[in-house]
Amino acid sequence: MTPSAVARVLVVGVGNPDRGDDGIGPLVVRQLLGRVSPDVAILERSGDALALIDDWEGRDAVILVDAAAPGGTPGSIHRIDLLRDALPPELSLASTHGFGVAEAVGLADALDLLPARVIAYAIEGANFDPGAPISPQVAAVTGEVADRVVAELQLLAGAADHA
């Protein structure tokens, strides 16, 4: 794909569907199929967070959907502007990934490879055991997170139209 053919906005569902609540990211982005503009790329990334840096090359904005280690209530949704807001210390986006989203963002920032906008939707999980299903509390917010991502994409499109 040539740089001019790269979609302006990327939504990435990060997580491993075979590790319980870690599968929420891919589950959410599958709900976006057919609901977003053709100039929005949708991608599932199962564990190689370093590959994210390549994925968002040439993008204006990236929205990441990932599970977070439990810190409060399973199913709680956190929206974090990763370029403006510090990641809350109690909220880890690394979940079951050895090198997680937070580390990938930090490395890309140090290398000056971040898009202009990087938004994360982190959903607190309860169970990350191998082979476990997504917990009911986390599964229950899948549609709400997808709706929030669609609304975020509309805001990004509106901002681009006024730029």
Side-chain angles (χ1 to χ4, degrees):
M1 187 179 292
T2 63
S4 61
V6 172
R8 195 177 65 70
V9 178
L10 173 67
V11 180
V12 184
V14 180
N16 183 342
D18 296 324
R19 293 191 62 102
D21 294 336
D22 196 38
I24 189 66
L27 191 61
V28 167
V29 298
R30 288 179 199 146
Q31 287 198 5
L32 298 175
L33 297 173
R35 293 183 62 190
V36 300
S37 164
D39 65 340
V40 174
I42 296 174
L43 178 67
E44 292 181 30
R45 190 54 77 194
S46 65
D48 184 6
L50 269 179
L52 290 171
I53 296 170
D54 289 332
D55 294 338
W56 59 49
E57 182 179 354
R59 314 286 182 173
D60 294 331
V62 173
I63 298 174
L64 303 164
V65 182
D66 195 9
T73 305
S76 294
I77 303 164
H78 302 270
R79 180 197 177 275
I80 307 157
D81 183 331
L82 291 173
L83 300 182
R84 291 187 343 186
D85 304 324
L87 190 63
E90 73 279 2
L91 193 65
S92 168
L93 292 178
S95 63
T96 63
H97 322 297
F99 185 87
V101 170
E103 291 84 2
V105 170
L107 179 60
D109 187 31
L111 298 173
D112 200 27
L113 296 174
L114 282 175
R117 299 289 311 262
V118 182
I119 305 296
Y121 282 89
I123 301 91
E124 289 187 43
N127 185 356
F128 296 92
D129 293 337
I134 291 183
S135 64
Q137 308 95 310
V138 173
V141 300
T142 304
E144 180 181 346
V145 177
D147 290 345
R148 289 187 187 192
V149 170
V150 168
E152 187 88 41
L153 291 166
Q154 291 169 343
L155 287 172
L156 288 170
D161 290 344
H162 291 72

